[in-house]
Amino acid sequence: MRKILTVLAALASLSLTNCGYNAIQSEDEQIKANWSEVVNQYQRRADLVPNLVNSVKGFAQQEKDVLLGVTNARAKVGSIQATPEVLNDPAAFQKFQAAQGELSSALSRLLVVTENYPQLKSDALFKDLMSQLEGTENRITVARNRYIKAVQEYNVTIRSFPSNLTAMMFGYKEKPNFTVENEKEISTAPKVDFNPAPAPSK
């Protein structure tokens, strides 16, 4: 009897391995780990924002609209709970991505404004903050790329036979992935014009 149970257990284990169950579990955990790193880097960026805003405020108080835009975008990012459950809810994932995109856009506007203040650009604190922000943006890119690859592997697994049957049986669905916000805009080739601009008429 014990021999039969051992054989049955071995067969059950073999069938679970071949049906993709273990691969789905492994890839799902990898996605969660990669997502944690994405959120960690976004949090690092959000933590830099108040110091950056205060640094700019010291030199460019008249740029209140831009500073307020960055502060509000950061507050919106902070109001979204980026839990692993977001990964199973495309609408929540889109909301998270939109909030992060808004903060990226606000930071870009802030950096454009700082170009008008040479004394700010030469300030040691501002330089340090900019260096940290640049490093963080690079880390965000790396973390997002890892997440994108993990989601791709997982989505391929749950759509491939026979693991797709296991995925359906246990309720595993495709996970949302990062997308380009302005895909149509960036797919248009930039226009390059080497003709000199006409001289203003006198």
Side-chain angles (χ1 to χ4, degrees):
M1 182 70 177
R2 185 174 285 174
K3 215 173 201 179
I4 294 169
L5 288 173
T6 306
V7 170
L8 286 174
L11 286 172
S13 173
L14 188 63
S15 68
L16 278 177
T17 303
N18 290 338
C19 72
Y21 182 82
N22 291 340
I24 292 171
Q25 300 309 306
S26 174
E27 289 168 13
D28 190 46
E29 288 304 315
Q30 187 62 55
I31 287 171
K32 287 176 187 169
N34 289 354
W35 174 250
S36 294
E37 185 56 21
V38 169
V39 172
N40 179 41
Q41 295 308 328
Y42 274 132
Q43 184 60 52
R44 178 185 164 93
R45 178 174 73 168
D47 291 343
L48 280 171
V49 168
N51 293 332
L52 192 58
V53 167
N54 286 333
S55 175
V56 174
K57 198 185 287 182
F59 287 88
Q61 285 188 320
Q62 62 271 36
E63 307 292 350
K64 286 179 183 163
D65 288 349
V66 176
L67 295 169
L68 189 63
V70 174
T71 304
N72 288 342
R74 184 194 180 273
K76 190 178 282 188
V77 162
S79 71
I80 296 173
Q81 294 295 313
T83 60
E85 286 72 35
V86 168
L87 305 179
N88 298 319
D89 182 352
F93 187 86
Q94 181 62 36
K95 190 175 175 187
F96 172 84
Q97 190 176 351
Q100 292 296 344
E102 198 174 311
L103 181 55
S104 295
S105 180
L107 283 170
S108 295
R109 286 192 298 277
L110 181 69
L111 298 183
V112 168
V113 162
T114 61
E115 291 297 313
N116 299 326
Y117 298 91
Q119 70 276 31
L120 169 61
K121 286 163 62 180
S122 64
D123 180 67
L125 174 61
F126 180 75
K127 278 182 172 176
D128 179 52
L129 288 168
M130 289 308 300
S131 174
Q132 288 185 56
L133 183 62
E134 187 179 322
T136 301
E137 293 294 345
N138 289 338
R139 288 187 183 98
I140 287 170
T141 301
V142 170
R144 277 177 53 137
N145 283 341
R146 286 181 182 151
Y147 174 82
I148 287 166
K149 285 176 186 165
V151 168
Q152 179 188 16
E153 285 177 24
Y154 169 86
N155 286 344
V156 166
T157 297
I158 66 163
R159 291 175 63 196
S160 302
F161 184 82
S163 52
N164 64 333
L165 302 175
T166 304
M168 280 191 288
M169 190 184 335
F170 288 97
Y172 288 99
K173 293 183 170 47
E174 284 186 58
K175 296 198 185 287
N177 217 331
F178 285 105
T179 57
V180 177
E181 293 166 41
N182 56 345
E183 192 172 341
K184 191 173 182 181
E185 188 180 311
I186 63 170
S187 63
T188 306
K191 292 177 182 171
V192 180
D193 185 3
F194 291 106
N195 295 324
S201 56
K202 292 180 181 177

